[in-house]
Amino acid sequence: MQKSIDQINERIRDGNARVVTAEEMPRIVADLGEKKALAEVDVVTTGTFGAMCSSGAFLNFGHADPPIRMERVWLNDVEAYGGLAAVDAYIGATQQSTTREENYGGAHVIEDFISGRSVELRAISRGTDCYPRRTITTELLLENLNQAIMCNPRNGYQRYNAASNTTDRILHTYMGMLLPGCGNITYSGSGLLNPISNDPRFRRIGSGVPAFLGGAPGMVIGEGTQASPGSGFGTLMVTADMKRMNPEFIRAATMTGYGVTLYIGLGIPIPVLDLETVRSTAVRDEDIWVDVIDYGIPTRSRPSLSKVNYAQLKSGVVELRGEEVRTSPLSSFRRARVVAEELKLWIQGGKMTLALPTRRIDSEKISQPMHETVQGPRVLEIMDRRVIAIGEGEAIRTAAQKLLKGETNHLPVINEQGVLVGIVTTYDISKAVVNPAKGPLVKDIMKRKVITTTSEEPVDIAVQKLERYNISALPVVDREFRVIGMLTAMDLGKLFGGRWLK
Amino acid sequence: MKLLVTFSRKEGKKPIIAQVVRDTGVLINVERALIDSSEGEALIDIPDESCRLVKEKLEGMGAAVRILEEELNLDEAECVDCGACVSICPQEVFSFDGNWKLRMEGKKCVLCGRCIEICPHRALSRKGEA
């Protein structure tokens, strides 16, 4: 048995369509079986409500008198992209205010407009024969704009890897606050309610398909940026009229220490036309697996600590490395449900009919990392290759002599195998002279916890370590933890005037 | 019951909490303390029935004592029930009810301030500072 989209739309128009949410569907299929579920259910509604950084809106302000060709545009001190004709601009959600930094940004401008608050527009121009005006300042309400069309390049991630942190310090990330020593796990997405998780082959979701966006009826434009449905991380580009949105479903937010983002309610109705759609919409939280990624490692391919599913994440506690770790969703499952329920009401009430994709999204596509032609500097290129080290069993006095002779302030301490076991600085030695009680040997006074770098590490990461721990030198170690050089604040000077400034 | 004890250290470094424990026999749980050269602040937890005794004793030793009740303010209009606060709270103040609505048990709070700092929607504040 198969149903056509026209049959379903007819039933919607007659008010007879059977609409359920993606949360209800697994139960229905389990109870009725796939065939009966296909006969019974016409539409499955999905929903998600979470932080979606890659969002923004095209705005048209209308022409001033005398007219201006806006070159740079600010809305409440948040810069909007003005490189679009005379009075068009794109306000991006994550752009931050020039005056209020991470406390206010493009997302807040969007929320202010939708909530009916006035927003100050400032723009400058060099002036042309046809657009003589050079500056403008005016207060605008959403109703004063000709168009305010939200157009989000990347929304509705199919699923998202969870986050944790193996380092010994707190991290502030776009995945929220991550406590040291894997003290917590954060995750995002609504699991079984996520739109793409209910249609991972993109058989029903594609260009032209209707959607719920921020409380307004909207549309899927097509594949989202960075979409990687081939690896289970599909995304969508979506649009809707901001003038019809509701602040309940559009909320500006700040991830402390990271920046501004926009929480968005997004839902897509899926017409149940065949058995394969019945199966895909019966997806459960237990079926959707993600990695727990270690955000303590500052590289693109961060290691996975574990694999978990949304049922485990939503239970509030996950076992990680033999310990029970508490979880935080960063998206609101409560509001995701409201989105799916609201969409259900729209369709039951005949307010929205469905459509098939006018263009299919490639479900095999895999997103690629950046093609980099110029590699940034690595520690190897600027480190000091002279290694002046001392054995842990040597006298403090010997260390002092070495420091003087080597004209350095940091002395890595090595054991008999040449492995780094500590570090002493001129400060440590001064302290030992003033207060000799600790003992006469280097190992009595050395710091055992040494922050190190490697020759292959990007200089930017090494600099972050120097700043974070408020230190001025890092021993460079090889795989066996033997010292092969030192990187000091002085070496960083080599970056200036050298090839890296080209 | 939680008490916020503030004291000056100008008159010397008296071990006032230890003294109170010894004199009253009440087991005091220090949940948070910040002590520098001139003053100190400690957040202590004690059995409800010993509150008066401990408070009077501490005050007798020159400390200022404030009984902490619900000190944390949740702005329901701003909160979207995202739960970013749930796993970062050392006291497990936050949880979800059966409908995924955020639940706050302010009595457990020791005012570490972490949730206020990280709430993405700026929905949390200390009472009186909202």
Side-chain angles (χ1 to χ4, degrees):
Chain A
M1 182 199 154
Q2 281 203 341
K3 290 191 274 193
S4 75
I5 193 83
D6 293 333
Q7 281 171 318
I8 287 177
N9 280 335
E10 206 179 304
R11 298 180 73 165
I12 293 172
R13 279 189 286 267
D14 293 344
N16 296 329
R18 171 80 196 275
V19 188
V20 304
T21 70
E23 202 179 357
E24 297 167 307
M25 193 63 175
R27 192 64 198 264
I28 292 171
V29 176
D31 288 351
L32 300 182
E34 289 174 356
K35 282 187 181 152
K36 276 193 181 161
L38 173 60
E40 174 80 19
V41 178
D42 297 313
V43 181
V44 173
T45 61
T46 61
T48 185
F49 185 94
M52 305 193 198
C53 287
S54 187
S55 300
F58 289 104
L59 310 175
N60 178 280
F61 305 110
H63 282 291
D65 189 21
I68 180 169
R69 175 178 172 274
M70 298 178 185
E71 282 161 26
R72 295 191 70 188
V73 181
W74 293 266
L75 294 157
N76 282 353
D77 289 344
V78 180
E79 185 155 19
Y81 180 68
L84 308 153
V87 289
D88 284 320
Y90 184 82
I91 179 79
T94 61
Q95 183 74 39
Q96 286 177 197
S97 153
T98 53
T99 49
R100 294 163 66 189
E101 295 168 354
E102 72 172 27
N103 296 311
Y104 193 92
H108 297 83
V109 171
I110 290 169
E111 187 189 321
D112 278 346
F113 268 133
I114 294 170
S115 302
R117 289 186 280 267
S118 96
V119 170
E120 185 200 64
L121 164 73
R122 245 177 346 109
I124 55 171
S125 167
R126 66 194 149 84
T128 67
D129 286 345
C130 44
Y131 292 108
R133 191 160 181 168
R134 286 164 185 267
T135 63
I136 193 160
T137 303
T138 181
E139 289 283 332
L140 295 171
L141 292 169
L142 186 56
E143 65 197 53
N144 302 133
L145 306 185
N146 286 319
Q147 281 80 25
I149 303 171
M150 183 170 282
C151 180
N152 303 339
R154 179 168 69 259
N155 276 182
Y157 253 110
Q158 184 169 357
R159 59 193 175 123
Y160 210 84
N161 281 328
S164 197
N165 166 22
T166 58
T167 71
D168 56 7
R169 65 182 194 100
I170 286 177
L171 296 180
H172 293 282
T173 71
Y174 64 85
M175 290 299 283
M177 180 188 255
L178 299 174
L179 302 178
C182 293
N184 68 337
I185 293 174
T186 62
Y187 67 98
S188 186
S190 57
L192 85 173
L193 271 178
N194 260 353
I196 303 175
S197 286
N198 282 275
D199 182 31
R201 307 287 305 159
F202 291 93
R203 298 172 68 249
R204 304 292 169 235
I205 300 175
S207 300
V209 162
F212 172 109
L213 182 61
M219 188 182 75
V220 174
I221 296 171
E223 172 184 293
T225 58
Q226 226 168 288
S228 197
S231 56
F233 291 96
T235 69
L236 295 172
M237 192 178 288
V238 292
T239 183
D241 184 357
M242 248 170 75
K243 294 193 179 198
R244 300 177 70 181
M245 289 187 184
N246 175 343
E248 279 301 291
F249 301 106
I250 290 282
R251 288 297 183 89
T254 298
M255 290 298 177
T256 304
Y258 167 74
V260 173
T261 185
L262 187 61
Y263 273 62
I264 293 179
L266 169 70
I268 296 173
I270 298 174
V272 182
L273 301 179
D274 55 15
L275 284 174
E276 199 176 329
T277 312
V278 170
R279 276 174 221 130
S280 69
T281 52
V283 69
R284 302 165 308 159
D285 282 332
E286 291 85 339
D287 306 322
I288 307 169
W289 290 82
V290 291
D291 286 303
V292 180
I293 298 293
D294 181 5
Y295 276 68
I297 310 289
T299 56
R300 182 180 56 221
S301 32
R302 299 185 170 104
S304 169
L305 300 166
S306 179
K307 278 199 185 295
V308 292
N309 63 48
Y310 273 88
Q312 293 169 320
L313 290 167
K314 284 183 183 173
S315 76
V317 180
V318 164
E319 198 187 305
L320 184 66
R321 308 200 301 183
E323 281 183 42
E324 300 224 307
V325 181
R326 284 193 295 149
T327 63
S328 268
L330 300 170
S331 41
S332 170
F333 191 67
R334 185 159 178 250
R335 289 205 186 205
R337 271 182 178 162
V338 177
V339 169
E341 290 291 342
E342 186 79 12
L343 193 48
K344 183 171 155 179
L345 289 178
W346 284 5
I347 295 164
Q348 282 172 338
K351 272 174 71 181
M352 180 181 266
T353 54
L354 306 193
L356 291 176
T358 50
R359 228 174 38 153
R360 290 278 298 270
I361 291 171
D362 177 1
S363 66
E364 302 296 328
K365 192 161 175 177
I366 289 179
S367 144
Q368 298 298 318
M370 184 183 282
H371 172 66
E372 291 181 74
T373 55
V374 180
Q375 212 178 33
R378 293 188 180 255
V379 167
L380 174 77
E381 292 158 61
I382 60 165
M383 71 185 194
D384 189 346
R385 287 163 192 277
R386 291 180 309 154
V387 181
I388 304 160
I390 188 153
E392 56 181 339
E394 305 248 25
I396 292 173
R397 192 182 159 79
T398 316
Q401 281 164 343
K402 279 212 171 189
L403 282 169
L404 275 177
K405 205 170 145 199
E407 289 177 358
T408 166
N409 290 315
H410 301 81
L411 210 50
V413 183
I414 53 179
N415 66 11
E416 282 170 3
Q417 287 76 45
V419 172
L420 181 71
V421 291
I423 192 164
V424 286
T425 63
T426 42
Y427 177 69
D428 296 324
I429 291 187
S430 311
K431 269 202 307 187
V433 170
V434 174
N435 179 13
K438 277 186 164 178
L441 301 180
V442 167
K443 68 177 173 194
D444 301 323
I445 63 157
M446 70 183 185
K447 285 196 192 75
R448 288 170 194 272
K449 205 183 148 198
V450 192
I451 314 293
T452 60
T453 180
T454 63
S455 58
E456 286 304 307
E457 189 160 69
V459 171
D460 286 346
I461 305 291
V463 167
Q464 220 177 32
K465 288 181 182 173
L466 291 172
E467 284 174 353
R468 184 182 307 147
Y469 297 99
N470 194 23
I471 51 180
S472 51
L474 295 168
V476 185
V477 293
D478 65 10
R479 275 195 196 143
E480 281 75 45
F481 229 63
R482 286 187 303 248
V483 184
I484 55 169
M486 287 290 281
L487 182 75
T488 67
M490 294 247 289
D491 298 320
L492 298 174
K494 294 175 193 164
L495 291 176
F496 298 98
R499 55 185 280 230
W500 302 113
L501 276 192
K502 266 183 226 161
Chain B
M1 178 161 289
K2 296 190 198 304
L3 303 181
L4 189 66
V5 186
T6 48
F7 46 90
S8 160
R9 302 187 83 206
K10 284 185 185 121
E11 297 102 66
K13 299 177 179 179
K14 286 185 290 188
I16 66 166
I17 289 174
Q19 186 79 47
V20 173
V21 172
R22 201 176 67 177
D23 292 357
T24 63
V26 176
L27 294 179
I28 292 177
N29 194 6
V30 179
E31 297 196 318
R32 194 164 64 82
L34 191 71
I35 299 167
D36 64 22
S37 57
S38 64
E39 59 190 2
E41 182 186 272
L43 203 153
I44 62 172
D45 193 30
I46 49 169
D48 287 0
E49 64 273 14
S50 313
C51 174
R52 222 177 113 190
L53 178 67
V54 170
K55 186 169 183 283
E56 281 171 5
K57 192 82 195 167
L58 281 163
E59 283 167 345
M61 298 182 70
V65 180
R66 191 157 68 85
I67 297 174
L68 292 185
E69 280 161 305
E70 303 267 329
E71 296 285 316
L72 205 55
N73 194 52
L74 174 66
D75 183 346
E76 299 263 353
E78 286 297 329
C79 178
V80 301
D81 307 291
C82 75
C85 50
V86 172
S87 69
I88 55 101
C89 173
Q91 296 294 109
E92 306 194 15
V93 167
F94 304 98
S95 57
F96 289 110
D97 72 9
N99 296 313
W100 289 90
K101 185 171 166 49
L102 189 75
R103 195 162 48 188
M104 182 174 88
E105 291 169 87
K107 279 200 177 93
K108 292 180 175 176
C109 174
V110 295
L111 296 178
C112 76
R114 227 184 234 174
C115 60
I116 297 173
E117 181 195 346
I118 65 98
C119 172
H121 298 271
R122 301 292 182 252
L124 290 161
S125 56
R126 251 180 101 155
K127 277 200 179 137
E129 294 173 8

